[in-house]
């Protein structure tokens, strides 16, 4: 543990605090959940709105470069390659924030069904598409789509037809919108470009193979948390949390972490489906919170195959809070009103 590094120590402490914060899910009081998720809408909308503003006004990139002078060259390079960093140092960071924001607004749109919520959701999706991040866009929207499927579990005979209809409708809207604003199809163009190069993983496979060579030497307990970089690995995390868990924590750590991921996901899906059997026992805010919890967990697990959600603060903070929400509803499954 590199205690001499302020950044490393901050991340370590934040990680521990998130795990402890998840324990709050065991208390009956849910007011903190409502206030937190509700306030997050304003926070994430700042990133969403600035991303769209940066797309409309190229001069905004100068403001961001002045805001992060140490990363100015990277920011400019990404912007000129159709990647919008927004109010962050890197467009991947912006993609994480936009993805979480989109899931929050999607949760409100699905449960509250107000015009304003639908509009905010569409705006957040547009910002996510403009960011140019493939994994964040595909996995984020896929997570919301699965939540829509779970939300309609009280109508199992028709939910498949409804889900297919929503998917076809969304694809139609995307086709029309991207025809009018080609930049919305940046994600599609990136898939095409990488396919033409013959490397859809953008070099990740080579990194994964190198990481597996380390796993063979320390298969039981791994080489140590955060030690991949220090052991001659890549300059950053492996971009696959499952391989990195194998390498750094071994088989034992992998089982513990993945056990956590799957346990909470399965229980959240089960709890969500159970709530929909008797929808009158719960309020819209109950479904909104559970929808976000399920969407965030699905996104976290999917993005884990190509990114670093377990190691990026922008990802593991909302993930642990999503787990806390699920724990709360599972431990207080009595259909009672919010305190």
């Amino acid at each position: 543990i590199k205690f001499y590094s302020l950044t490393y120590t901050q991340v370590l402490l934040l990680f521990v605090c998130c795990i402890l914060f998840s324990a709050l899910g065991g208390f009956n009081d849910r007011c903190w959940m409502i206030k937190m998720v509700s306030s997050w809408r304003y926070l994430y909308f700042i990133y969403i709105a600035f991303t769209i503003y940066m797309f409309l006004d190229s001069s905004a990139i100068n403001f961001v470069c002045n805001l992060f002078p140490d990363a100015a060259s990277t920011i400019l390079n990404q912007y000129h390659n159709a990647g919008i960093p927004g109010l962050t140092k890197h467009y991947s960071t912006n993609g994480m924030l936009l993805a979480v924001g989109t899931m929050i607004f999607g949760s409100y749109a699905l449960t509250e069904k107000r015009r304003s919520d639908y509009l905010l959701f569409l705006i957040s999706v547009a910002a996510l598409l403009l960011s140019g991040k493939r994994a964040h866009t595909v996995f984020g929207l896929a997570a919301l789509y699965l939540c829509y499927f779970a939300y309609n579990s009280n109508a199992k005979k028709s939910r498949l037809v409804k889900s297919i209809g929503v998917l076809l409708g969304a694809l139609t809207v995307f086709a029309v919108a991207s025809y009018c604003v080609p930049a919305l199809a940046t994600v599609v163009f990136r898939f095409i470009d990488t396919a033409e190069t013959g490397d859809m993983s953008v070099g990740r496979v080579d990194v994964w193979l190198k990481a597996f060579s380390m796993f063979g030497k320390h298969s039981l307990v791994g080489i140590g948390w955060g030690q991949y970089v220090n052991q001659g690995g890549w300059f950053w995390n492996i971009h696959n949390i499952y391989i990195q868990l194998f390498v750094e924590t071994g088989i034992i750590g992998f089982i513990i972490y993945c056990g956590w991921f799957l346990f909470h996901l399965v229980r959240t899906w089960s709890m969500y489906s159970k709530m929909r059997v008797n929808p009158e026992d719960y309020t819209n805010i109950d479904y909104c919170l559970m929808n976000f919890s399920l969407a965030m967990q699905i996104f976290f697990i999917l993005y884990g195959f190509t990114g670093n959600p377990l190691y990026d603060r922008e990802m593991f903070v909302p993930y642990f809070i999503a787990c806390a929400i699920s724990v709360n509803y599972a431990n207080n499954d009595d259909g009672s009103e919010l305190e």
Side-chain angles (χ1 to χ4, degrees):
I1 299 177
K2 299 176 288 186
F3 284 112
Y4 57 83
S5 170
L6 179 60
T7 300
Y8 189 89
T9 304
Q10 287 175 338
V11 173
L12 180 65
L13 292 175
L14 190 56
F15 207 156
V16 174
C17 287
C18 282
I19 296 175
L20 295 176
F21 189 70
S22 298
L24 286 174
F27 293 98
N28 191 45
D29 184 13
R30 296 171 184 165
C31 289
W32 66 270
M33 299 180 185
I34 301 173
K35 293 177 180 178
M36 177 168 289
V37 177
S38 178
S39 62
W40 273 0
R41 288 185 296 174
Y42 301 99
L43 173 64
Y44 284 103
F45 189 74
I46 294 174
Y47 292 96
I48 291 169
F50 193 85
T51 298
I52 295 176
Y53 173 69
M54 180 174 282
F55 166 71
L56 296 174
D57 186 358
S58 60
S59 64
I61 193 67
N62 297 323
F63 171 76
V64 178
C65 288
N66 292 330
L67 195 63
F68 305 108
D70 57 322
S73 59
T74 300
I75 292 172
L76 287 172
N77 181 61
Q78 292 172 354
Y79 185 71
H80 292 317
N81 285 282
I84 300 183
L87 279 171
T88 68
K89 293 183 178 181
H90 200 284
Y91 81 135
S92 290
T93 304
N94 192 38
M96 297 177 202
L97 297 169
L98 295 178
V100 177
T102 299
M103 285 184 283
I104 292 175
F105 286 114
S107 299
Y108 275 91
L110 178 61
T111 55
E112 297 290 349
K113 296 181 173 60
R114 295 175 301 203
R115 291 183 179 179
S116 58
D117 292 317
Y118 286 126
L119 177 61
L120 290 171
F121 171 62
L122 291 176
I123 292 174
S124 63
V125 171
L128 186 58
L129 290 170
L130 291 172
S131 71
K133 292 304 298 181
R134 297 176 300 168
H136 305 73
T137 302
V138 173
F139 294 145
L141 296 180
L144 284 173
Y145 182 73
L146 290 174
C147 285
Y148 176 82
F149 190 79
Y151 184 75
N152 287 282
S153 58
N154 59 335
K156 294 184 178 180
K157 293 183 178 180
S158 61
R159 69 172 175 174
L160 181 59
V161 175
K162 288 182 179 179
S163 298
I164 294 175
V166 168
L167 179 60
L168 293 176
L171 291 175
T172 301
V173 171
F174 171 72
V176 174
S178 59
Y179 177 79
C180 299
V181 185
L184 291 172
T186 300
V187 171
V188 177
F189 297 146
R190 285 184 180 276
F191 273 114
I192 296 174
D193 291 341
T194 53
E196 291 177 348
T197 62
D199 184 12
M200 291 288 288
S201 70
V202 195
R204 285 177 172 82
V205 173
D206 293 334
V207 177
W208 298 341
L209 293 175
K210 184 176 183 179
F212 268 122
S213 66
M214 297 183 182
F215 168 71
K217 301 175 182 178
H218 306 275
S219 58
L220 190 60
V221 296
I223 62 176
W225 184 269
Q227 294 302 304
Y228 174 70
V229 176
N230 296 333
Q231 296 292 329
W234 201 25
F235 64 91
W236 191 235
N237 290 309
I238 297 176
H239 279 64
N240 185 309
I241 63 174
Y242 308 106
I243 295 177
Q244 188 151 348
L245 284 172
F246 260 127
V247 173
E248 295 186 343
T249 66
I251 296 175
I252 295 176
F254 177 84
I255 292 174
I256 292 174
Y257 271 93
C258 290
W260 168 290
F261 303 153
L262 294 177
F263 171 76
H264 281 287
L265 178 63
V266 171
R267 186 165 69 162
T268 303
W269 183 283
S270 177
M271 183 64 204
Y272 196 10
S273 299
K274 184 178 179 181
M275 290 170 63
R276 293 302 294 160
V277 174
N278 299 302
E280 65 280 356
D281 293 339
Y282 299 90
T283 64
N284 284 345
I285 192 62
D286 289 321
Y287 292 120
C288 182
L289 291 172
M290 282 297 291
N291 189 63
F292 168 70
S293 176
L294 181 60
M296 187 66 224
Q297 291 182 62
I298 293 174
F299 175 74
F300 181 92
I301 289 175
L302 292 177
Y303 181 44
F305 286 100
T306 62
N308 310 304
L310 187 61
Y311 306 86
D312 294 324
R313 283 164 285 186
E314 296 80 10
M315 283 282 94
F316 70 68
V317 171
Y319 169 73
F320 277 115
I321 292 174
C323 289
I325 293 173
S326 172
V327 169
N328 183 285
Y329 278 93
N331 290 349
N332 300 287
D333 181 23
D334 55 4
S336 59
E337 293 293 325
L338 296 175
E339 293 185 359

